[in-house]
Amino acid sequence: MSSLRILVPVKRVIDYAVKPRVNRAQTAVETANVKHSMNPFDELSIEEAVRLREKKTTPVEEIVAFSAGPAKSQDILRTAMAMGADRGIHVVVEEKDALEPLSVAKLLRKVVDENKSNLVILGKQSIDDDAGQTGGMLAGLLNWPQATQASKVTIEGENVTVVREVDGGVETLKTKLPMIITTDLRLNEPRYASLPNIMKAKKKKLDKKTLGDYGLDGDVRLKTVKVTEPPTRQAGVKVDDVDGMIGKLKELGAL
Amino acid sequence: MFAAARTSVLRSLRTQTQLCHTQSQTAWSRLASTLAVLEAKEGKLNIASLAAITAGTKLGGSITAFVAGSGGKTIAEEAGKAKGIEKVIYVDNAAYDKGLAENWAPLLVENIKKGGYTHVLTGHSAFGKNLMPRVAAMLDVQQISDITEIESEDVFVRPIYAGNAIMTVQSSDSTKVVTVRGTAFPAPETEGGSATVEEGTDPKAESPTEWVSEDLAKSDRPDLGSASKVVSGGRGLKSKEEFDRLMPPLADALGAAIGASRAAVDSGFADNSLQVGQTGKNVAPQLYLCAGISGAIQHLAGMKDSKVIAAINKDADAPIFQVADVGLVGDLFEKVPELTEKLKQ
């Protein structure tokens, strides 16, 4: 096993620049008519997979992009393919039946088996549920080594060296394939898909599947009791100069 | 056997008493048994990780703390002084010193199963974020990350969408695996407790991963995550030289930790570990004083629970002023040194 078969799971989320609004019934965040894009951490995953291919230190046999989500997740998979993934797998899941990280991890375990992947690169968290669990859960289910919050990845043969972001700095780990990596912001700078590549991506293979194809159901463990707006802060004051700022901070008991 | 019985008792209680929520909560509380997983490094307990104990006390029931690493027993004795714990379980084995998920996860799973805990809590730190999902999956549990409140034995509150929405969830898992936001659960008193110390089970799982080295930013300043004052710089500082010239003296004048926005970190002005925000550190100090930070959603996610927010920015329309208690519109290159001088007096 001296070549890489990379699986890159991607998620369609509300665009990072949009301020989310809680719906009136307080059951969820409003997603209709809101701009969506690929989870920013997943762009880093695709980019890293493509760079591993370009570096040529270990041959990359295949890069498969995967998403489980509503019909529109296809767009995200096309973007991943335009950035360099070879093909895509889309498990269609309605938005109201959105999967929990544990279910996604169970699904990915099957996808890993099916595609004989030996490296899975995931984002460290999705910016909607901010759970940060899927990568670690998948590693646990497969009993593979994991390197989360990676800021540098070096692969030589089966040996992998990863620098990961930890509290207070970085640490370096050494392990072997097959393994799970989750990406941190510092890992790379994702490329923009060029128009010719976007056109080419339209011809790449995209398999549509269902949870049933993998023998899974959308088991839900966490019931959403409610979703609310965070408390708003009281409007503050503007001061004219540094003395005013110090005075006000003293008044507020912060100094 | 006992653990299984307790779970089914919980289950039946839950179905029977769904309507009288408050009443049933007390019944659950008596049955809750929490394992608080603590962090240690080089034989020393990480005090910030005691937040898991504070969270555990909200659940009622007994709290057992867990530590592992070389000198496990000494660490356990230190942890045992924290108020609120009944027992500390330790495993003394240098293999756990680096917090590798590959051998920590089987270690925890074995001790969780043995103790039959209803709740497993740890801090939402780099250690907890790396380890707990692996543990949760091995236990077939849907983890609950970064909670800020506990409403009852099975109902938890957590921020989603970079803190722009607050979600309350009810877990149906028999064991709740939870990471807690440190700033939402202040560490308990570290003196006065008298927990018993007991050796845990060590499955001695081999780790396929080897820890090679680390490079930690060294600083005499207070720790960013738990500091009572934080000064933070953004893109407006323009360069690393200016960041280093202006921010440390201001931090020293206040006795504050230094933070930074993503823009400042990406531009190389400050170390990655100083990043405050959705994907960096969460802070909630008494005072958060920032200069040259516009206040993007992702940054606000990490600091908007601060008691008092003060901002210096030359753009009067910067979003940071919508959350700042005290705002000063002006050139930070003039205002920050002036502020530093006046604070020193």
Side-chain angles (χ1 to χ4, degrees):
Chain A
M1 191 171 60
S2 56
S3 65
L4 292 168
R5 298 182 56 85
I6 309 176
L7 176 68
V8 185
V10 295
K11 185 177 184 184
R12 175 180 178 268
V13 298
I14 292 183
D15 190 83
Y16 72 94
V18 174
K19 186 170 161 49
R21 302 251 170 245
V22 173
N23 68 13
R24 232 182 253 166
Q26 297 202 325
T27 53
V29 162
E30 203 64 72
T31 53
N33 303 317
V34 174
K35 186 186 175 194
H36 282 68
S37 28
M38 192 191 296
N39 180 40
F41 290 99
D42 303 342
E43 289 184 1
L44 299 163
S45 314
I46 292 280
E47 177 65 31
E48 195 61 21
V50 176
R51 286 189 191 191
L52 284 170
R53 168 177 277 158
E54 289 166 353
K55 266 186 219 153
K56 296 187 173 129
T57 38
T58 304
V60 172
E61 219 175 294
E62 184 174 54
I63 301 171
V64 179
F66 170 91
S67 195
K72 283 184 178 160
S73 298
Q74 261 194 46
D75 307 347
I76 303 301
L77 285 167
R78 290 286 173 205
T79 307
M81 290 190 272
M83 288 172 71
D86 301 309
R87 61 186 174 93
I89 302 172
H90 180 197
V91 171
V92 185
V93 179
E94 290 308 316
E95 200 157 295
K96 62 176 173 50
D97 304 323
L99 300 177
E100 292 174 347
L102 183 63
S103 302
V104 178
K106 286 177 179 175
L107 177 56
L108 286 172
R109 172 174 55 178
K110 304 260 181 175
V111 176
V112 163
D113 285 347
E114 178 191 57
N115 294 282
K116 300 188 174 56
S117 318
N118 57 8
L119 176 64
V120 188
I121 310 179
L122 307 88
K124 77 165 176 180
Q125 77 194 67
S126 66
I127 59 163
D128 51 0
D129 68 12
D130 283 333
Q133 299 168 359
T134 309
M137 286 183 157
L138 179 60
L141 293 175
L142 289 163
N143 196 22
W144 285 5
Q146 68 185 58
T148 55
Q149 304 189 198
S151 59
K152 189 166 188 267
V153 175
T154 315
I155 303 185
E156 276 157 352
E158 290 187 8
N159 298 312
V160 185
T161 308
V162 179
V163 178
R164 50 185 303 266
E165 306 250 334
V166 294
D167 297 337
V170 292
E171 69 176 15
T172 305
L173 302 177
K174 241 163 80 178
T175 191
K176 280 193 178 349
L177 292 175
M179 76 170 301
I180 307 292
I181 291 173
T182 75
T183 61
D184 212 321
L185 281 175
R186 242 67 61 182
L187 183 60
N188 58 48
E189 235 178 90
R191 68 195 64 193
Y192 287 101
S194 66
L195 187 59
N197 284 341
I198 292 171
M199 300 313 285
K200 270 186 227 157
K202 292 189 177 173
K203 298 204 179 81
K204 289 183 178 175
K205 196 171 149 217
L206 176 57
D207 287 323
K208 246 192 192 181
K209 305 241 182 176
T210 63
L211 283 178
D213 293 339
Y214 292 99
L216 295 168
D217 54 16
D219 173 30
V220 173
R221 309 286 182 86
L222 300 182
K223 187 180 106 190
T224 302
V225 178
K226 64 178 176 193
V227 177
T228 55
E229 296 276 352
T232 45
R233 291 186 74 97
Q234 294 292 322
V237 294
K238 289 247 175 82
V239 292
D240 298 324
D241 52 21
V242 167
D243 290 324
M245 178 171 252
I246 293 174
K248 188 72 196 164
L249 289 177
K250 281 191 175 146
E251 192 187 313
L252 291 168
L255 284 181
Chain B
M1 266 318 280
F2 178 58
R6 172 162 42 202
T7 317
S8 58
V9 167
L10 274 171
R11 280 242 169 84
S12 57
L13 259 177
R14 188 174 300 141
T15 40
Q16 278 165 26
T17 56
Q18 209 110 55
L19 291 172
C20 42
H21 199 83
T22 35
Q23 198 191 338
S24 58
Q25 193 181 326
T26 27
W28 291 334
S29 299
R30 253 179 274 129
L31 295 164
S33 70
T34 299
L35 187 71
V37 182
L38 306 182
E39 296 176 50
K41 194 151 201 190
E42 278 141 24
K44 283 196 76 175
L45 185 69
N46 177 350
I47 302 296
S49 72
L50 296 177
I53 292 171
T54 315
T57 55
K58 313 254 179 214
L59 289 162
S62 68
I63 302 172
T64 305
F66 184 91
V67 296
S70 42
K73 194 170 180 194
T74 322
I75 308 166
E77 279 159 3
E78 193 194 340
K81 290 186 211 150
K83 277 203 173 146
I85 334 173
E86 271 179 28
K87 188 162 75 179
V88 188
I89 295 179
Y90 73 91
V91 169
D92 188 339
N93 184 342
Y96 302 117
D97 280 355
K98 302 302 181 189
L100 293 171
E102 288 82 350
N103 58 9
W104 258 92
L107 169 73
L108 275 184
V109 168
E110 189 132 331
N111 284 284
I112 291 164
K113 285 189 173 158
K114 190 179 158 208
Y117 302 99
T118 57
H119 295 77
V120 180
L121 307 182
T122 196
H124 192 68
S125 58
F127 170 81
K129 284 191 256 189
N130 184 45
L131 171 62
M132 288 319 248
R134 193 174 177 110
V135 171
M138 289 168 75
L139 294 168
D140 194 29
V141 166
Q142 175 50 52
Q143 181 187 326
I144 307 157
S145 295
D146 202 18
I147 62 155
T148 51
E149 257 178 78
I150 293 174
E151 285 200 351
S152 75
E153 178 268 340
D154 58 352
V155 180
F156 305 89
V157 180
R158 58 180 301 266
I160 54 173
Y161 287 93
N164 281 290
I166 308 296
M167 187 182 217
T168 306
V169 292
Q170 183 170 31
S171 166
S172 61
D173 282 313
S174 55
T175 306
K176 278 83 175 163
V177 174
V178 179
T179 61
V180 308
R181 179 173 289 200
T183 55
F185 299 94
E189 284 177 53
T190 50
E191 290 296 332
S194 55
T196 56
V197 169
E198 195 178 286
E199 192 165 5
T201 324
D202 187 357
K204 296 197 170 82
E206 288 288 326
S207 173
T209 302
E210 186 195 331
W211 184 92
V212 181
S213 64
E214 69 186 357
D215 183 7
L216 300 184
K218 286 201 176 60
S219 157
D220 299 330
R221 294 206 175 78
D223 168 60
L224 178 59
S226 53
S228 66
K229 292 185 181 117
V230 173
V231 297
S232 197
R235 197 200 303 271
L237 268 307
K238 292 212 165 77
S239 68
K240 180 168 170 41
E241 288 68 36
E242 293 294 340
F243 194 100
D244 290 345
R245 184 172 72 85
L246 294 179
M247 298 314 285
L250 178 60
D252 291 341
L254 283 165
I258 297 181
S261 70
R262 182 185 168 194
V265 170
D266 279 354
S267 313
F269 303 175
D271 190 76
N272 296 346
S273 60
L274 300 187
Q275 187 180 323
V276 171
Q278 182 183 20
T279 66
K281 275 256 166 50
N282 270 296
V283 301
Q286 292 293 322
L287 172 62
Y288 188 83
L289 203 169
C290 59
I293 290 181
S294 64
I297 296 174
Q298 291 77 16
H299 185 76
L300 299 183
M303 48 63 85
K304 69 180 175 188
D305 293 328
S306 306
K307 283 274 181 325
V308 175
I309 298 173
I312 301 175
N313 202 303
K314 66 177 176 196
D315 175 9
D317 296 325
I320 191 74
F321 288 125
Q322 289 163 23
V323 299
D325 301 287
V326 189
L328 175 57
V329 180
D331 182 0
L332 69 90
F333 293 104
E334 278 171 31
K335 303 297 180 191
V336 170
E338 189 187 339
L339 181 62
T340 306
E341 276 315 305
K342 290 191 166 151
L343 284 171
K344 270 196 217 157
Q345 288 160 18

